[in-house]
């Protein structure tokens, strides 16, 4: 499946960012995952509403989060992925 690999940098760990990202994924029926990696949060996602989801994520979905920078790359998701998971 074609999708996006999003890296979000800033104050995105320890502020509920993954929880709110998962809620946003549920709203837009996104499949994929979100996880903390080193000093950023990594998100893989796929769906027709991925652009709306991505815009919500980079605006900082968690009230206490501060997104300082982000990258978005095209990627291919595993065909076995059926839901959105917080890792």
């Amino acid at each position: 499946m074609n999708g996006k690999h999003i890296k979000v940098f800033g104050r995105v760990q320890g502020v509920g960012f993954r929880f709110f990202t998962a809620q946003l994924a549920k709203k837009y029926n996104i499949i994929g995952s979100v996880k903390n990696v080193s000093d950023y949060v990594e998100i893989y996602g796929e769906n027709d509403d991925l652009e709306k989801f991505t815009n919500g994520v980079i605006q900082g979905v968690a009230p206490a989060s501060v997104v300082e920078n982000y990258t978005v790359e095209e990627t291919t998701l595993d065909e076995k992925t059926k839901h959105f998971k917080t890792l």
Side-chain angles (χ1 to χ4, degrees):
M1 293 181 275
N2 292 328
K4 302 280 187 193
H5 175 208
I6 307 164
K7 292 181 182 179
V8 184
F9 301 87
R11 187 171 24 152
V12 292
Q13 293 187 5
V15 293
F17 191 86
R18 291 180 303 151
F19 172 80
F20 283 98
T21 298
Q23 294 299 311
L24 194 61
K26 184 175 181 179
K27 175 180 177 180
Y28 290 115
N29 296 310
I30 304 296
I31 62 172
S33 62
V34 59
K35 69 177 180 176
N36 287 337
V37 178
S38 183
D39 62 341
Y40 63 94
V41 172
E42 183 173 65
I43 305 162
Y44 287 92
E46 187 272 336
N47 185 299
D48 294 338
D49 287 328
L50 193 55
E51 189 170 333
K52 293 176 188 175
F53 169 76
T54 302
N55 288 337
V57 167
I58 61 178
Q59 290 174 9
V61 293
S65 68
V66 177
V67 175
E68 295 173 358
N69 195 10
Y70 65 92
T71 63
V72 179
E73 300 173 348
E74 297 290 325
T75 191
T76 303
L77 272 69
D78 184 340
E79 294 288 331
K80 296 176 186 173
T81 304
K82 303 290 184 206
H83 305 285
F84 194 87
K85 296 185 239 179
T86 301
L87 305 173

